[in-house]
């Protein structure tokens, strides 16, 4: 029996009354989550990245069209925001509403895992998802993270349902969620790899153990030496066996593989759906070898690589299951094609599916935007996700290696694989902490939820030693303290200083002075005396002014070209310091300039400069724990 199925067999489903209590409990948490995600949603100043998402979505809603640009990730977000603009009008609240609703829906997803999580764990998972500082903060943000998180959880649910009953509907659900993930953000490549590797190992595990579980098979439990000798060789070959299963009749009879494992179905499906989207990876060895690829050569290479990968996927998919694969492939591309092609108004956008997206982000890995240290997430997780990090990692390790629990192993793999991938990536950003907190919420709930009923039974029966009671009380007190700390952090991030970067999760933020100044400028143009706004494009001043001033005439001029011929006396000029020198005719007839802070950054010099020796010394003399505690409490 596989680890996952052995674990699932131990789970007892609660009676219908418990289902009702659990469901209503989760719905109550969802209601609270909705409030925390939508109240004051438009208070925070629009972030630089948000302003691009909002402005181009507004253009789309106004009928100016949409063209996919991998710089701003997938097209799904722009379609959603534009649709909300058309329905409810443009504004910061409306723009962030799709993400807030996705973040709220995410809180309800533990109900999908009732066969693996007991009632306590389901409610705990919902609570953890609701209060996680990383998840809550970025669910109030017009970026892709809550969309990606929701689709990833739906992929996981589809996998578990398919492994249970093998129905086509779950493969279709998986294909749709995977397609939406790719249409949302390029992190989908990471999550697809995480699932593929898991399916590969799970297939190898099934191929090794299934013949030994058959009636009359001997030995039922092979020795460690046999597991190593015959088990490990299956890992690198599992995907080949899964892909060529119908052609390997002789090999299957020799090893006793009567039926194809469902894990192999998931492996083949994911592999054939994703392979054509990896065509741009062909550039990696060519560039490493020093091959120059100009625009013409790249176009030829793209057509050849995409055509070849599509042909391979088609051949393997038809060999696997003609009808099932065709349905899933149509769903997969049927979701993405209209989004990337902007419903037929920009056909060239289809290249973003098969080439442009991966091509762009391969190049960006060398840029290393953010220039964060390699252990960046080892700093972020304890600061913001200790509530789920501590019980999640400790409980997940114990369940996986101590109890050989397959579901815990899957959740732990999800967290560790994403952690390694994001830590190795060239661009490390605070919003990606969202994707590390997500599996930890489920893992911590699974570990604690499994322990809670035993503790409750012991309390009712009056069992347990004094030491056990003391340990349980200390653990509960510690968990309560971490919960209070999470709520305090949530309050600071979303109420007290939502657009003031006094902590690393905020990182860089538009100053709250900008929306206040924007209201004055709009009034000056609308009611006089100004006729238009001129924006100096140096230092990316265009953003977020393009969003805030979208309803008034605006012209963008490079700072080096600011002069009397480009700026009229009745224009409002927004420029960087020093762009208009003293004595310039632009200053004639104008009042004193209004200084403002455009955007501000969290001071990163301290942790970037930290060395292992300095960290050890700070821990030894107590200065680092003091600074850590002061930051956790006061955020200074």
């Amino acid at each position: 029996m596989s680890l996952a199925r052995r674990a699932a067999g131990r789970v007892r489903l609660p009676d219908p009354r418990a289902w009702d209590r659990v469901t209503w409990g989760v719905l109550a948490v969802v209601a609270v989550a909705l409030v925390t995600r939508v109240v004051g949603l438009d208070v925070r100043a629009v972030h630089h990245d948000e302003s691009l998402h909002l402005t181009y979505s507004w253009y789309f809603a106004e009928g100016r069209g949409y063209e996919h640009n991998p710089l701003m990730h997938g097209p799904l977000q722009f379609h959603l925001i534009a649709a909300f603009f058309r329905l409810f009008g443009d504004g910061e609240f409306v723009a962030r509403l799709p993400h807030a609703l996705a973040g709220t829906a995410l809180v309800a997803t533990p109900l999908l895992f009732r066969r693996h999580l007991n009632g306590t764990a389901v409610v705990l998972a919902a609570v953890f998802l609701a209060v996680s500082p990383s998840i809550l903060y970025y669910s109030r943000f017009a970026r892709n993270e809550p969309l990606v998180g929701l689709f990833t959880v739906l992929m996981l649910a589809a996998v578990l349902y398919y492994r249970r009953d093998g129905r086509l509907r779950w493969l279709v659900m998986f294909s749709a969620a995977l397609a939406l993930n790719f249409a949302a953000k390029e992190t989908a490549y990471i999550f697809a790899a995480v699932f593929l590797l898991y399916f590969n190992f799970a297939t190898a595990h099934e191929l090794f153990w299934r013949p030994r579980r058959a009636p009359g098979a001997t030995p039922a439990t092979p020795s460690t030496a046999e597991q190593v000798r015959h088990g490990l060789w299956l890992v690198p070959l599992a995907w080949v066996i899964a892909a060529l299963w119908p052609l390997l009749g002789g090999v299957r009879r020799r090893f006793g593989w009567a039926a194809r494992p469902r894990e192999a179905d998931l492996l083949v499906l994911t592999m054939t759906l994703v392979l054509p989207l990896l065509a741009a990876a062909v550039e990696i060895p060519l560039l490493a070898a020093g091959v120059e690829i100009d625009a013409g050569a790249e176009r030829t290479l793209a057509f050849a690589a995409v055509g070849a990968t599509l042909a391979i996927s088609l051949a393997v998919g038809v060999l696997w299951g003609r009808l099932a694969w065709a349905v899933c492939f149509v769903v997969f591309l049927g979701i993405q094609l209209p989004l990337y092609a902007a419903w037929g108004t920009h056909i060239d956008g289809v290249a973003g599916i098969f080439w442009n997206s991966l091509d762009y982000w391969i190049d960006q890995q060398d840029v290393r935007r953010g220039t964060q240290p390699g252990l960046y997430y080892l700093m972020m997780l304890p600061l913001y996700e200790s509530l789920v990090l501590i019980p999640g990692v400790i409980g997940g390790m114990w369940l996986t290696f101590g109890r050989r629990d397959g579901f815990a192993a899957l959740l732990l793999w999800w967290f560790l694989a994403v952690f390694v991938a994001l830590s190795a990536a060239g661009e490390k950003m605070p919003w990606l902490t969202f994707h590390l907190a997500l599996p930890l919420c489920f893992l911590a709930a699974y570990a604690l939820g499994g322990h809670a009923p035993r503790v409750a039974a012991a309390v009712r029966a009056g069992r347990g030693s004094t030491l056990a009671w003391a340990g349980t009380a200390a653990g509960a007190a510690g968990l309560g303290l971490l919960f209070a700390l999470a709520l305090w952090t949530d309050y600071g991030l979303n109420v007290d200083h939502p657009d003031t970067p006094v902590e690393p999760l905020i990182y860089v933020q538009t100053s709250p002075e900008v929306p206040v100044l924007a209201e004055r400028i709009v009034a000056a143009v609308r009611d006089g005396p100004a006729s238009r706004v001129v924006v100096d494009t140096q230092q990316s001043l265009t953003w977020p002014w393009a969003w805030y001033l979208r309803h008034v005439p605006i012209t963008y001029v490079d700072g080096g070209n600011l002069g009397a011929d480009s700026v009229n006396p009745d224009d409002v000029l927004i420029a960087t310091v020093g762009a208009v020198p003293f004595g310039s005719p632009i200053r004639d007839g104008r009042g004193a300039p209004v200084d403002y802070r455009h955007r501000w950054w969290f001071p990163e010099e301290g942790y970037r400069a930290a060395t292992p020796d300095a960290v050890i010394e700070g821990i030894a003399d107590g200065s680092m724990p003091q600074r850590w505690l002061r930051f956790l409490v006061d955020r200074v």
Side-chain angles (χ1 to χ4, degrees):
M1 183 181 290
S2 72
L3 290 177
R5 288 172 184 163
R6 188 186 313 162
R10 291 198 299 267
V11 176
R12 292 184 179 180
L13 296 181
D15 60 53
R17 290 171 298 174
W19 273 77
D20 292 339
R21 290 194 298 270
V22 170
T23 302
W24 283 109
V26 170
L27 291 178
V29 177
V30 170
V32 174
L34 178 62
V35 172
T36 61
R37 281 153 174 75
V38 301
V39 171
L41 194 57
D42 55 350
V43 170
R44 183 177 61 238
V46 171
H47 181 276
H48 173 96
D49 290 357
E50 281 187 301
S51 67
L52 280 91
H53 305 157
L54 272 57
T55 303
Y56 285 102
S57 297
W58 181 67
Y59 291 161
F60 194 16
E62 290 285 295
R64 306 188 203 182
Y66 165 76
E67 296 183 7
H68 171 250
N69 184 341
L71 169 67
M72 293 178 282
H73 304 297
L76 178 62
Q77 176 174 240
F78 296 92
H79 286 72
L80 285 175
I81 298 175
F84 272 62
F85 282 167
R86 292 292 297 270
L87 291 172
F88 308 113
D90 56 295
E92 287 87 86
F93 181 91
V94 173
R96 290 167 174 156
L97 189 56
H99 309 79
L101 295 177
T104 303
L106 187 62
V107 177
T109 57
L111 289 171
L112 297 172
F113 302 95
R114 290 298 303 274
R115 288 184 174 270
H116 296 271
L117 302 174
N118 62 23
T120 303
V122 169
V123 176
L124 275 176
V127 170
F128 290 155
L129 291 167
V131 304
S132 163
S134 303
I135 293 176
L136 174 56
Y137 183 72
Y138 286 110
S139 293
R140 296 171 55 87
F141 216 95
R143 30 180 339 114
N144 316 73
E145 268 51 51
L147 302 172
V148 172
L150 179 60
F151 301 143
T152 303
V153 173
L154 293 178
M155 288 168 59
L156 178 63
V159 167
L160 297 175
Y161 285 134
Y162 181 75
R163 293 178 73 174
R164 183 189 68 197
D165 60 26
R167 294 186 180 184
L168 176 60
R169 67 178 69 172
W170 307 124
L171 296 181
V172 174
M173 175 180 168
F174 178 84
S175 303
L178 181 62
L180 289 168
N181 220 326
F182 273 102
K185 194 176 183 181
E186 291 78 8
T187 47
Y189 289 101
I190 293 177
F191 297 116
V194 169
F195 277 90
L196 273 170
L197 289 172
Y198 174 75
F199 295 152
N200 191 80
F201 277 93
T203 299
H205 182 269
E206 279 294 301
L207 292 176
F208 177 74
W209 280 101
R210 181 173 290 184
R212 291 155 181 81
R213 296 196 300 266
T218 57
T221 304
S223 65
T224 301
E226 186 182 2
Q227 291 185 51
V228 172
R229 185 169 63 253
H230 296 294
L232 290 182
W233 71 269
L234 286 169
V235 174
L237 294 177
W239 66 275
V240 178
I241 296 171
L244 302 180
W245 185 270
L247 306 180
L248 301 177
V251 175
R252 290 191 281 113
R253 285 190 295 271
R254 176 182 176 185
F255 288 98
W257 298 333
R260 182 170 52 202
R262 289 173 183 163
E263 293 80 2
D265 293 337
L266 292 162
L267 176 60
V268 172
L269 178 63
T270 309
M271 183 169 54
T272 53
L273 293 181
V274 173
L275 181 62
L277 279 60
L278 299 175
V282 72
E283 291 182 305
I284 297 176
L286 296 177
L287 295 174
V291 177
E292 294 289 338
I293 304 176
D294 58 24
E298 182 177 358
R299 184 177 179 85
T300 302
L301 181 64
F303 275 106
V306 172
T309 52
L310 279 172
I312 293 172
S313 289
L314 176 63
V316 175
V318 170
L319 188 64
W320 167 69
R322 184 177 304 172
L323 177 61
W325 185 81
V327 169
C328 293
F329 189 72
V330 168
V331 169
F332 183 71
L333 281 187
I335 289 173
Q336 293 189 79
L337 286 172
L339 295 174
Y340 278 90
W343 304 98
T345 60
H346 183 63
I347 299 300
D348 289 347
V350 173
I353 302 175
F354 301 104
W355 187 268
N356 292 348
S357 295
L358 184 59
D359 175 55
Y360 175 83
W361 287 103
I362 287 174
D363 292 340
Q364 291 304 302
Q365 296 310 301
D366 291 333
V367 176
R368 304 185 68 84
R369 286 185 294 194
T371 61
Q372 303 291 357
L375 301 180
Y376 177 67
Y377 298 108
L378 282 180
M379 176 193 74
M380 297 295 289
L381 285 172
L383 280 177
Y384 293 103
E385 301 299 338
S386 292
L387 175 62
V388 292
L389 175 66
I390 296 174
V393 172
I394 295 176
M397 297 286 283
W398 177 71
L399 288 171
T400 300
F401 299 105
R403 299 287 298 275
R404 296 178 63 81
D405 188 305
F407 186 59
L410 172 55
L411 295 176
L412 186 64
W413 164 253
W414 177 13
F415 166 68
L416 292 176
V418 174
F419 177 84
V420 170
L422 294 181
S423 298
E427 183 172 318
K428 302 175 185 65
M429 291 297 180
W431 42 82
L432 297 177
T433 310
F434 183 108
H435 304 297
L436 298 171
L438 183 54
L440 284 175
C441 288
F442 283 94
L443 192 55
Y446 187 53
L448 292 172
H451 184 65
R454 290 191 290 271
V455 172
V459 170
R460 287 192 296 268
R463 299 193 310 267
S465 64
T466 302
L467 182 61
W469 283 112
T472 301
L479 192 65
L481 182 62
L482 292 175
F483 184 79
L485 179 61
L487 294 180
W488 176 247
T489 303
D490 287 335
Y491 176 82
L493 285 168
N494 300 288
V495 179
D496 188 48
H497 50 264
D499 45 16
T500 306
V502 296
E503 49 186 299
L505 194 68
I506 298 178
Y507 182 55
V508 60
Q509 175 61 40
T510 300
S511 161
E513 298 172 15
V514 170
V516 175
L517 188 56
E519 291 183 2
R520 294 175 55 189
I521 294 172
V522 170
V525 176
R526 185 183 60 231
D527 304 327
S531 61
R532 66 168 182 168
V533 181
V534 176
V535 177
D536 172 12
T537 59
Q538 293 184 103
Q539 299 183 26
S540 299
L541 285 191
T542 301
W543 311 103
W545 287 117
W547 165 253
Y548 279 116
L549 304 178
R550 64 193 180 281
H551 292 303
V552 299
I554 187 169
T555 301
Y556 302 98
V557 179
D558 180 76
N561 297 321
L562 289 175
D565 56 339
S566 59
V567 181
N568 301 323
D570 59 349
D571 289 340
V572 175
L573 173 63
I574 302 175
T576 58
V577 174
V580 182
F582 288 102
S584 170
I586 298 178
R587 291 180 176 267
D588 295 344
R590 296 178 184 273
V594 176
D595 294 329
Y596 78 101
R597 287 170 290 191
H598 188 75
R599 65 178 65 94
W600 42 12
W601 301 72
F602 176 77
E604 303 170 293
E605 295 80 10
Y607 73 81
R608 283 185 176 178
T611 63
D613 291 341
V615 172
I616 294 173
E617 182 180 348
I619 294 175
D621 63 20
S623 60
M624 179 164 288
Q626 290 178 7
R627 292 198 302 268
W628 195 278
L629 181 61
R630 182 185 178 193
F631 175 80
L632 289 177
V633 175
D634 299 329
R635 312 320 265 191
V636 294

